[in-house]
């Protein structure tokens, strides 16, 4: 069941949000609902208790300060999808 929600926002923010929704071809209501679902889901994940096995494994791997996970993962994706 859908319900109505009234929000008070800065006029410029509303204009930018409408432009964004036009680009994404989604209604503002759908975008706001998706956002709320994401932040609520993140709270649920934060409440999950970490098992003792996972806690025991935490800190086993020591990476150098020069380790760049984004760069390595980017290379992996390039190799996977561009070849």
């Amino acid at each position: 069941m859908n319900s109505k929600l009234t929000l008070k926002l800065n006029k410029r923010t509303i204009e930018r949000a409408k432009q964004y929704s036009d680009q994404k071809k989604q209604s503002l209501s759908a975008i706001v609902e998706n956002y709320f679902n994401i932040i609520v889901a993140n709270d649920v994940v934060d409440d999950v208790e970490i098992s003792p096995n996972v806690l025991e494994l935490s800190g086993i791997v020591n990476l150098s300060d020069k380790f760049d996970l984004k760069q390595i993962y980017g290379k992996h994706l390039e190799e996977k999808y561009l070849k």
Side-chain angles (χ1 to χ4, degrees), residues 15-27:
E15 291 169 2
R16 293 175 61 209
K18 286 181 179 180
Q19 290 173 351
Y20 179 83
S21 71
D22 287 343
Q23 291 172 353
K24 298 297 182 182
K25 295 181 175 40
Q26 283 188 310
S27 69

Side-chain angles (χ1 to χ4, degrees), residues 9-44:
L9 303 171
N10 177 288
K11 186 175 182 176
R12 178 71 181 129
T13 301
I14 295 169
E15 291 169 2
R16 293 175 61 209
K18 286 181 179 180
Q19 290 173 351
Y20 179 83
S21 71
D22 287 343
Q23 291 172 353
K24 298 297 182 182
K25 295 181 175 40
Q26 283 188 310
S27 69
L28 279 176
S29 294
I31 292 170
V32 170
E33 182 176 4
N34 288 338
Y35 175 72
F36 286 163
N37 285 330
I38 288 168
I39 62 174
V40 169
N42 285 341
D43 280 348
V44 170

Side-chain angles (χ1 to χ4, degrees), residues 6 8 13 17 19 31 46 48 55 58 61 69 78 80 82:
T6 302
K8 291 184 181 183
T13 301
Q19 290 173 351
I31 292 170
D46 291 341
V48 173
L55 287 174
S58 296
V61 177
L69 180 61
E78 285 177 5
K80 182 175 180 179
L82 296 178

Side-chain angles (χ1 to χ4, degrees), residues 53-71:
N53 291 338
V54 172
L55 287 174
E56 187 177 324
L57 294 172
S58 296
I60 287 179
V61 177
N62 293 320
L63 302 174
S64 76
D65 293 338
K66 295 181 181 181
F67 183 81
D68 187 355
L69 180 61
K70 287 183 181 181
Q71 180 186 17

